[in-house]
Each structure stands twice: as C-alpha cells, then as structure tokens.
Amino acid sequence: MAETLNNHLWVRSEKKANERRVAIVPDDAKTLLEAGYKITVEKSAQRCIDIQKYADVGCEIAEEGSWTNAPKEAFILGVKELPEGDGDLVHRHIYFGHVYKDQPGWQHTLNRFVNGNGTLYDLECLVDEGGRRVAAFGYWAGYAGAAVAVKIWAGQKMGNVPPLERVDSYPNVDALLSDLRGQIQTIGEKPDMIVIGALGRTGSGATDLGLALGMDITKWDMAETASGGPFPEIQQHSIFVNCILATPECPRFVTAEDIKVADRRLSVIADVSCDPESKYNPIPIYNKSTTFDAPSISVVSEGTPLDVMAIDHLPSMLPLESSEDYSRQLMAALIDLNEPEKGIWGRALNDFRKNLARL
C-alpha cells in the first residue's frame, strides 16, 4: 500500500492516573505495518507494554505527550480522555471521548475540535451495520468491577474503614484470583452476587469472575427488568454489579428509598457502566465517579454498610489482558482506516457531526 494521508497512526501516551492500557499491542501494530501503515508510538511511564516491544516490530518511537506536534494528517489513537486544556484540536483523534451524553465539559471539548477543525472518531461509536460495537473493553471492565466489589466486601467484613484503601493493577488474571481467594479464605465465607446486564460483554466478565471464585450468581437482563422496578430482589444479595448503560429507557435499579429496607443484605454496588453525572443514572444514590486511589463511596455507614464503586477505567486493573483483547477486536476497523469516511469510520464521523450540531 502506498503511503497516503490516511495511513499514519500515532499512539499517544495516557495521562489519566493509573491508566496503563493501550489500544493497540505490538503484534497487531506489526500487522498494520505490514499492510503499509506508518505507526508512531509515544514513550509512556505507565503503559503496561514496554516501548522496546513496539520498536522491535518496526514502529517509530516518539517522546511522551508529543502528539500535539504530530503531522496534521496523523490519526491520534488513545484510550481515555485527552489532557485538559484550551488548545485547538487540529488532528483526527480516536479515543473514548465521553462527550456525547451531556457530561460536564462536553461543550468545551467539542468546541476545541471546532476551533481546530479537528475530528473525533469516538471508540464507543465504532459500530457495524447492525449498530453493535466492533471493539469494547466491556468484558474486562465487568471482570475487574466484580473483583473490586469482592475486595470491598472483604474489607467490610474485616471492619476496615474505608473498606478498600486503593486499587492496584495486576500483572495477570491469575495473580488477581490468587489475591481474592486468599481474602475469601481468611474471612471464611463468600458473598453472593446479582449481575444486571448479564447477557452482554460486561455482564459476562462479571459473571466469569464470580464463577472463578465459586460464588452464587443471579443473572438478570432485559426480561427481568422490563417491569421498570422497584426491584427488592437486588437488596437480598451481598453484591450488585450493574452492567447496563444509562439511557432514557433504563429503569432505576436502586434508589434512596430502596436501601431503607430493614432486611437489606446488599452492601456493595459495583456500577461498572459508571455514568453518575447522567440524568439517566439507574443508581441515583451517588453522583460522582470513584478512582483507583479512592475506590468507593460510603452511602450507608450505620447497620449494614453500603458502598458504591464507580471507577471509569476498570480494565486498567488488568491492563495486559484487556489491551490484548481490545487490540485484537479493534484491528478489524483499523485495517480500514485508510477510508475514514466509509463504513465503521463513516458512522463514527456522522455521530461526531451530529453532536457538533448540538453546540
């Protein structure tokens, strides 16, 4: 393939704290290079994959944060949001923008694209002709979210305040499971769990974590929540993992009134979908995301405690597996990046233009 204006991929470093993922791994970068693409990868102090592995397959290496000086025709590929700022965005960016659901600051971010004549291809909007996302971190978000919920539950049982001081990333899944099994063995009992959205990617991940620990799991999806609530059954589980995205049609799963019941067993909510600032939040008992450094919010401290976890980059708890999985999925789209106004990319571009029209 001859070099064109549409075949330079610039993999930027991530600035979000504890974000160790990357959207493309070296083996897949090699495939793109062999297909004629040019790939530049920035150095990163926190990425889970060493920069030398990208150099070994033939990628060009750039300094951390140097994407602002990249050639204008380059596609800037990241995972999470860009660093905050007021500078005009002149490039074509590919990342999870979090600006299409009226999140705080969405207008400011989109105006940066307008002022710079840049473009956002939101990773969440890369969908096939049937509207299904072609690549998602959902499975590992669900897996990690359920794992953090178990850690919080264990901390409650041990009387820790807060129940979990911080979340750290693990080198692999086996290390995570070994840690969790050790905590459960120390306590001498297991929590049970209800997963809503169990048939999706995220719900499958949460369910698989529970199965790996031998937990009793109740699996709900659209059929079980079609009544619109209330759902007293949720209160009778130790852990509730929400894997349903906030939409106007989504019922409220847990409200301030629901958690007042005297016989509540529910003590941990893992809101993996994590959209607390949306007016459609299905768990309107908290209003801000949590972080690796402060994983949970205490909603009830007297009697049976209730803590909410809502970390918005959970797969970074297992950065290697989640990056390899996501990169493998994303490759089907990246191989067609030389035609950014057609197919998958064209649909994401239309979403960008529709949201610009809302400004």
Side-chain angles (χ1 to χ4, degrees), residues 217-240:
I217 305 168
T218 299
K219 295 185 283 186
W220 279 15
D221 211 271
M222 294 180 65
E224 290 81 4
T225 60
S227 67
F231 304 107
E233 297 93 336
I234 295 175
Q235 310 304 319
Q236 300 310 312
H237 293 78
S238 307
I239 295 171
F240 162 39

Side-chain angles (χ1 to χ4, degrees), residues 270-319:
D271 190 4
V272 178
S273 295
C274 191
D275 224 341
E277 294 165 324
S278 170
K279 60 185 177 182
Y280 308 125
N281 178 14
I283 307 171
I285 60 173
Y286 80 108
N287 59 11
K288 65 177 181 179
S289 298
T290 61
T291 67
F292 274 39
D293 295 325
S296 64
I297 297 171
S298 175
V299 177
V300 179
S301 56
E302 301 295 328
T304 301
L306 180 58
D307 292 277
V308 177
M309 185 283 301
I311 297 172
D312 66 1
H313 58 125
L314 282 163
S316 203
M317 187 178 179
L318 292 165

Side-chain angles (χ1 to χ4, degrees), residues 16 35 42 57 67 141 152 218 245 259 277 306 327 333 335 337:
K16 190 178 183 76
E42 290 184 4
V57 299
W67 62 266
I152 293 171
T218 299
L245 291 172
I259 62 178
E277 294 165 324
L306 180 58
S327 178
I335 205 72
L337 191 56

Side-chain angles (χ1 to χ4, degrees), residues 237-259:
H237 293 78
S238 307
I239 295 171
F240 162 39
V241 183
N242 174 48
C243 302
I244 299 293
L245 291 172
T247 66
E249 298 77 25
C250 185
R252 300 297 181 259
F253 296 138
V254 178
T255 68
E257 289 300 315
D258 297 333
I259 62 178

